[in-house]
Amino acid sequence: MKLNNKPGHAAADDAPPSGLTACVGRWWHVVQERRPQSGRRVKDIILFYWKELALVHERSSNYTRYTFIPPILPALTRPRHHSLPTLNALSEFLVQLFFNRVLLPSILSSCLQLLARSLSSASTTMSTPRVFIVRHGETEWSLNGRHTGRTDIPLTAVGEKRVKATGKALVGHDRLIAPKKIAHIYVSPRKRAQRTFELLNIGLDEPLPWTRHGESEGEGLQCSAKIEVTENIREWDYGDYEGITTPDIRKMRDGQGYRGTWDIWRDGCPGGESPEDVTRRLDELIKEIRERWHKPVMGKGKDKDQCGDVLLIAHGHILRAFAMRWARYSLQNGPAFLLEAGGVGTLSYEHHNIEEPALLLGGAFVVELDQDN
């Protein structure tokens, strides 16, 4: 075998074989052939073939994350009169190679299959409670984009019709919102939100905590949950911007010398609430929902009569903010999603874990109306 003048490089006609077995044999042959020699040349040859062997071994493994190259190079470069370490090192390498290529893939495959079966079984036997967020139906102000916070205005006829359609499509014991599985209901103090609840076709054991704002169809599907009117889910207080559209607010701010484009998620409303104000009251409500209604049922076996879902009836900005805080995002980031008037969204948890709140993308709906009817 000839070597180039540069140490550590073999001649072209002595390039190592490409096959793993041939490479191991060639490597062993060179080590034995050069053992009588001493000095740097032998170490360079061993180092060259070791690097090539390690590269072939790594590329040939389908489990590169678990590939283990045993540290046998120091043993191979010891003085030549110690032959036992070299033999032991080669044996160790072959054992490790067998483990990596045969045993480890088999073990990993079995473990992954077992884990998949366990997760599949858990997903069908464990209960994950949800929060349904329902935006009130259309009003005159929501129709033309005016910010409606404290102002208490009713739903339009179209708004009522759409909410009724939502109730028929999504509320039922075999549908998205199952009344018998609802543990608690939170409703905004504004009558447009309260009227929306009245039209969802949900019947309660106790009278409503407000005077009805209109007629409803039938008694509704029976639900044993309590209903609570809370300021924590009222609409964002728009302060000086109440009843004004976004384009008009921006024109107003330009005239007042404000720089940049107004964004409620970043700037809030003068005379009303800031993002920090909204965050505080929503975080309080979210904590209550998780501690009081979700933790007691989280991860327990599925029961067709088990109650754990929570229903929120409120407004556009506050429900989008609620979804942001549910997923632990800052309001200043601004939500990249919408919730139309009369729309329904779903929040839950990932991996049946109360520490992993998530938005359920497959559970956001709005029922369209046939304008001819």
Side-chain angles (χ1 to χ4, degrees):
M1 174 179 175
K2 297 180 181 180
L3 296 178
N4 290 334
N5 293 331
K6 295 182 180 180
H9 293 273
D13 59 341
D14 286 321
S18 58
L20 183 60
T21 303
C23 192
V24 172
R26 184 67 171 172
W27 169 72
W28 175 250
H29 174 73
V30 170
V31 170
Q32 295 302 316
E33 182 181 8
R34 295 299 179 183
R35 292 198 67 79
Q37 300 184 17
S38 62
R40 186 174 179 181
R41 290 169 60 86
V42 175
K43 293 183 179 180
D44 289 339
I45 294 171
I46 295 173
L47 181 60
F48 175 83
Y49 277 94
W50 168 251
K51 288 181 178 179
E52 182 66 20
L53 181 59
L55 181 62
V56 172
H57 175 60
E58 181 179 358
R59 289 178 177 175
S60 65
S61 174
N62 291 328
Y63 293 84
T64 55
R65 288 182 60 191
Y66 304 97
T67 300
F68 174 73
I69 304 297
I72 64 174
L73 185 59
L76 296 177
T77 56
R78 291 174 183 171
R80 63 178 181 273
H81 59 273
H82 294 295
S83 59
L84 186 58
T86 302
L87 294 175
N88 288 342
L90 180 61
S91 300
E92 179 185 356
F93 174 78
L94 294 176
V95 169
Q96 292 290 347
L97 185 62
F98 174 75
F99 178 78
N100 284 343
R101 297 299 305 279
V102 179
L103 292 183
L104 184 59
S106 177
I107 293 171
L108 287 175
S109 178
S110 299
C111 290
L112 289 174
Q113 291 178 14
L114 181 60
L115 178 60
R117 285 197 297 268
S118 299
L119 291 176
S120 176
S121 175
S123 65
T124 58
T125 59
M126 295 176 68
S127 172
T128 304
R130 300 163 295 178
V131 174
F132 299 109
I133 55 175
V134 181
R135 183 181 175 186
H136 65 73
E138 175 191 277
T139 68
E140 289 293 342
W141 282 19
S142 70
L143 190 59
N144 55 35
R146 298 170 68 182
H147 287 79
T148 318
R150 300 183 301 268
T151 307
D152 216 359
I153 57 178
L155 303 183
T156 63
V158 172
E160 290 207 0
K161 189 175 181 180
R162 172 169 285 173
V163 173
K164 288 180 182 178
T166 297
K168 292 178 180 178
L170 302 181
V171 178
H173 295 310
D174 59 348
R175 302 188 182 181
L176 177 68
I177 303 175
K180 63 183 178 181
K181 292 187 177 181
I182 297 176
H184 201 69
I185 302 168
Y186 295 95
V187 181
S188 163
R190 305 295 173 251
K191 64 183 180 183
R192 57 189 180 275
Q194 296 172 1
R195 180 58 179 158
T196 296
F197 174 79
E198 294 173 8
L199 297 169
L200 282 179
N201 196 34
I202 298 176
L204 300 175
D205 293 339
E206 299 180 358
L208 293 173
W210 63 78
T211 303
R212 281 190 173 271
H213 303 294
E215 297 297 325
S216 300
E217 296 181 1
E219 296 295 327
L221 298 172
Q222 199 59 31
C223 176
S224 60
K226 303 288 185 182
I227 189 166
E228 178 180 347
V229 177
T230 174
E231 290 285 335
N232 280 340
I233 203 64
R234 61 174 167 78
E235 181 59 298
W236 197 308
D237 188 343
Y238 299 120
D240 298 344
Y241 299 155
E242 180 77 11
I244 307 175
T245 65
T246 296
D248 288 341
I249 292 172
R250 289 174 176 168
K251 290 179 183 178
M252 180 191 307
R253 288 173 64 88
D254 288 342
Q256 294 171 346
Y258 287 100
R259 293 183 179 180
T261 302
W262 176 71
D263 184 350
I264 190 173
W265 306 103
R266 180 189 64 238
D267 305 317
C269 302
E273 287 183 300
S274 67
E276 292 76 19
D277 296 330
V278 172
T279 295
R280 277 191 292 271
R281 63 180 169 100
L282 289 181
D283 285 355
E284 180 181 335
L285 179 59
I286 290 171
K287 181 179 179 181
E288 178 180 327
I289 290 173
R290 288 180 178 153
E291 294 291 332
R292 187 177 176 187
W293 306 112
H294 284 178
K295 271 191 176 180
V297 299
M298 177 65 75
K300 294 186 178 180
K302 283 189 175 180
D303 184 341
K304 63 179 182 179
D305 297 323
Q306 181 172 275
C307 299
D309 293 341
V310 172
L311 180 63
L312 269 63
I313 317 290
H315 315 269
H317 269 120
I318 203 64
L319 288 178
R320 293 163 69 194
F322 182 92
M324 288 281 288
R325 293 306 301 154
W326 179 267
R328 295 173 177 164
Y329 289 110
S330 168
L331 296 191
Q332 283 79 0
N333 294 332
F337 50 86
L338 300 174
L339 185 62
E340 295 187 35
V344 178
T346 309
L347 313 176
S348 189
Y349 304 91
E350 193 171 7
H351 305 132
H352 310 286
N353 186 353
I354 205 163
E355 298 302 326
E356 298 183 64
L359 310 182
L360 190 58
L361 297 181
F365 304 91
V366 60
V367 177
E368 297 295 340
L369 296 177
D370 184 353
Q371 298 299 328
D372 296 332
N373 295 328

